[in-house]
């Protein structure tokens, strides 16, 4: 049965037709024999027995006695009907059995070979049209229909993979757009702060020209940062593909860059920021823009949740650079894995103010730089966020 079930469609229909023809021939012969006997039984009733037996005695090589067919008016109505019915069967049995055999062959062929795979394919097509790809075509026969079902299943699997790839692309583009909007806010906040300070103090001559030029210089640096950031992001399809642009970074240089932003951030949030940079003659080799972006994300989180004071501690070495940001808020209430998820927000009001990407982007950039992001709580209260960067070989 296994071999018959796995026969090809062509061989199967030939087998069914051969069986149907054999059965039709056998039944035709049997019915013909029955019809002949029935005829003889009916006609014998109306034969002159003595004349028939005399004719039998005269049989020879060229003569054979047969029971003659009586005329219709001699037979009773029932015998006449039965005799004519036998004539009908004798004439049309082959035709009737051929048609019945053909119909039976078609029915069995469809039932055994086509019904199940066609139902599987029709159901699969309907589900694909409804964008439901979590199903499986289960038809294991090793014939043409089985091969067709397996090809359909391969097509479904490829469609599912393509669908997942499209969704991943959409999610990556969404993440990239959100990251651009998130990371560009820090330089914009600094520019806005300096603009407000210049607008407030410069007309009243409460600020000397040196301070004003220093602020304008810092504004120019932030604009250059935004230009470089936008150009970098323009070429990306996802955050993971962002390339590092390493360079030598000294402790003094990093202190000046961070301190230049703290003055504006302190005034904007009304909180005190203390920057502590460990003196070191060794220069770190890494991507300064990524390091500053991570620092700004950590500062933004600390300023948002801290109460009065934020502490930033920077340690620069040859092989490693670490930036630790501590606040005096309530600290983290969930584990680091949850906090560093994309679009994380502790509550609805919080999510209205920021995208929930700061910790996710910081963790991602630290890992791209060979380091890690460590989140925890201080024993005295408040959150402690430490970004560790490894030297780029």
């Amino acid at each position: 049965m296994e071999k018959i079930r796995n026969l090809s469609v062509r061989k199967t229909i030939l087998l069914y037709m051969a069986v149907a023809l054999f059965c039709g021939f056998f039944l035709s012969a049997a019915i013909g024999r029955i019809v002949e006997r029935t005829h003889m039984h009916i006609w014998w009733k109306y034969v002159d027995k003595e004349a028939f037996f005399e004719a039998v005695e005269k049989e020879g090589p060229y003569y054979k006695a047969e029971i003659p067919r009586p005329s219709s008016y001699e037979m009773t109505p029932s015998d006449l009907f039965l005799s004519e019915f036998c004539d009908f069967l004798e004439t049309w049995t082959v035709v009737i059995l051929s048609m019945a055999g053909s119909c039976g062959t078609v029915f069995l062929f469809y039932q055994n070979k086509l019904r199940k795979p066609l139902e599987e394919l029709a159901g699969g097509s309907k589900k694909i049209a409804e964008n439901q790809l979590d199903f499986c075509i289960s038809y294991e026969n090793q014939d043409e229909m089985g091969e067709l079902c397996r090809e359909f299943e391969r097509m479904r699997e490829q469609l599912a993979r393509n669908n997942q790839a499209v969704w991943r692309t959409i999610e990556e583009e969404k993440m990239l757009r959100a990251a651009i909007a998130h990371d560009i806010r820090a330089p914009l906040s600094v520019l806005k702060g300096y603009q407000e300070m210049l607008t407030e103090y410069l007309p009243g001559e409460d600020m000397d020209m040196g301070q004003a030029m220093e602020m304008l210089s810092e504004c120019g640096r932030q604009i250059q940062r935004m230009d470089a950031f936008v150009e970098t992001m323009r070429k990306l399809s996802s955050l993971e593909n962002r390339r590092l642009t390493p360079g030598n970074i000294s402790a003094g240089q990093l202190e000046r860059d961070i301190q230049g932003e703290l003055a504006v951030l302190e005034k904007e949030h009304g909180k005190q920021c203390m920057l502590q940079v460990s003196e070191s003659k060794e220069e770190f080799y890494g991507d300064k823009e990524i390091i500053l972006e991570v620092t700004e994300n950590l500062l933004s989180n600390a300023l948002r949740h801290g109460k009065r004071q934020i502490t930033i501690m920077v340690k620069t070495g040859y092989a490693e650079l670490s930036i630790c940001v501590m606040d005096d808020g309530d600290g983290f209430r969930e584990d680091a894995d949850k906090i560093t998820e994309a679009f994380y927000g502790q509550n609805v009001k919080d999510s209205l103010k920021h995208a929930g990407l700061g910790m996710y982007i910081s963790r991602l950039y630290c890992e791209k730089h060979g380091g890690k992001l460590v989140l925890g709580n201080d024993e005295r209260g408040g959150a402690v966020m430490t970004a560790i960067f490894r030297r780029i070989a």
Side-chain angles (χ1 to χ4, degrees):
M1 291 302 295
E2 185 70 21
K3 291 183 179 179
I4 294 175
R5 188 163 54 249
N6 290 327
L7 282 176
S8 66
V9 173
R10 181 176 59 183
K11 291 181 179 179
T12 301
I13 197 168
L14 288 175
L15 176 63
Y16 282 17
M17 290 299 296
V19 172
L21 289 174
F22 175 78
C23 294
F25 175 78
F26 179 79
L27 288 174
S28 296
I31 293 173
R33 185 65 177 167
I34 294 172
V35 166
E36 184 180 358
R37 286 175 178 245
T38 304
H39 267 149
M40 293 300 103
H41 178 73
I42 296 171
W43 295 349
W44 180 253
K45 297 178 184 180
Y46 305 97
V47 171
D48 185 349
K49 285 23 174 226
E50 293 181 359
F52 178 75
F53 288 130
E54 288 178 1
V56 171
E57 291 177 356
K58 296 178 182 180
E59 285 184 343
Y62 303 103
Y63 173 73
K64 183 178 180 181
E66 292 183 353
I67 299 175
R69 181 188 183 99
S71 59
S72 59
Y73 64 85
E74 293 181 284
M75 292 186 286
T76 62
S78 59
D79 287 343
L80 179 60
F81 173 79
L82 188 57
S83 178
E84 289 181 348
F85 181 70
C86 289
D87 290 339
F88 174 82
L89 291 178
E90 191 174 20
T91 304
W92 297 101
T93 293
V94 175
V95 176
I96 293 173
L97 290 179
S98 298
M99 293 179 62
S102 299
C103 293
T105 298
V106 171
F107 175 79
L108 289 175
F109 179 76
Y110 174 81
Q111 187 71 16
N112 297 332
K113 274 298 201 183
L114 299 180
R115 184 182 62 82
K116 185 176 179 181
L118 289 179
E119 288 178 353
E120 291 279 347
L121 293 173
S125 299
K126 184 178 179 181
K127 289 181 179 179
I128 289 176
E130 296 172 352
N131 203 25
Q132 298 178 12
L133 300 175
D134 54 343
F135 67 93
C136 180
I137 298 293
S138 57
Y139 184 75
E140 302 300 331
N141 286 9
Q142 304 298 319
D143 55 12
E144 291 90 338
M145 298 305 296
E147 183 63 26
L148 179 61
C149 288
R150 285 187 289 276
E151 290 296 328
F152 190 94
E153 176 64 14
R154 280 193 283 271
M155 180 192 72
R156 181 202 67 80
E157 292 175 351
Q158 187 60 47
L159 282 174
R161 287 192 293 269
N162 292 345
N163 203 16
Q164 291 174 356
V166 169
W167 279 110
R168 280 197 301 271
T169 301
I170 292 174
E171 288 298 318
E172 288 174 355
E173 290 179 353
K174 175 184 175 183
M175 193 83 67
L176 185 62
R177 290 194 298 270
I180 293 173
H182 180 277
D183 284 353
I184 209 170
R185 280 190 307 182
L188 285 176
S189 297
V190 174
L191 288 173
K192 180 182 177 183
Y194 280 128
Q195 184 264 337
E196 290 175 352
M197 292 174 67
L198 289 171
T199 303
E200 180 179 356
Y201 296 115
L202 196 59
E205 296 182 357
D206 295 331
M207 179 184 299
D208 59 32
M209 189 58 65
Q211 290 176 315
M213 293 302 297
E214 185 178 344
M215 288 185 181
L216 290 175
S217 177
E218 181 63 24
C219 290
R221 192 181 70 82
Q222 295 294 336
I223 292 172
Q224 290 177 356
R225 280 192 61 198
M226 283 194 294
D227 286 341
F229 177 76
V230 170
E231 181 63 22
T232 300
M233 289 301 187
R234 184 181 64 84
K235 301 175 182 178
L236 290 184
S237 58
S238 67
L239 289 176
E240 288 79 1
N241 295 332
R242 182 174 180 179
R243 292 184 179 181
L244 301 179
T245 307
N248 291 322
I249 304 172
S250 64
Q253 178 186 6
L254 199 58
E255 181 180 10
R256 288 191 297 274
D257 289 336
I258 297 175
Q259 191 65 56
E261 297 179 6
L262 288 180
V264 177
L265 295 175
E266 283 180 326
K267 182 179 180 182
E268 180 181 351
H269 293 273
K271 298 169 186 177
Q272 183 181 3
C273 295
M274 296 179 58
L275 177 61
Q276 301 173 9
V277 181
S278 300
E279 294 184 4
S280 174
K281 295 181 180 180
E282 295 179 329
E283 289 189 341
F284 180 76
Y285 189 69
D287 191 325
K288 188 177 72 170
E289 291 303 320
I290 280 185
I291 293 172
L292 288 176
E293 286 178 33
V294 172
T295 304
E296 289 165 356
N297 287 333
L298 301 184
L299 277 172
S300 175
N301 186 82
L303 289 167
R304 191 164 58 250
H305 296 100
K307 296 177 180 178
R308 291 180 297 276
Q309 183 173 315
I310 310 299
T311 303
I312 307 103
M313 294 185 295
V314 180
K315 294 181 180 180
T316 306
Y318 176 82
E320 182 179 290
L321 185 149
S322 66
I323 299 174
C324 180
V325 179
M326 297 182 292
D327 62 52
D328 56 354
D330 297 328
F332 295 115
R333 300 173 185 175
E334 297 180 354
D335 56 42
D337 292 336
K338 181 69 175 177
I339 297 169
T340 55
E341 287 181 358
F343 303 106
Y344 166 79
Q346 291 185 349
N347 52 62
V348 176
K349 292 182 178 179
D350 193 48
S351 64
L352 295 174
K353 299 178 181 179
H354 66 103
L357 277 171
M359 294 295 102
Y360 169 76
I361 294 173
S362 299
R363 176 182 63 80
L364 184 65
Y365 285 170
C366 286
E367 291 174 355
K368 284 183 69 68
H369 219 290
K372 60 182 178 179
L373 178 66
V374 181
L375 303 180
N377 292 323
D378 189 71
E379 295 179 355
R380 296 168 296 180
V384 179
M385 299 165 285
T386 306
I388 301 172
F389 304 92
R390 306 289 182 188
R391 182 181 182 88
I392 298 176

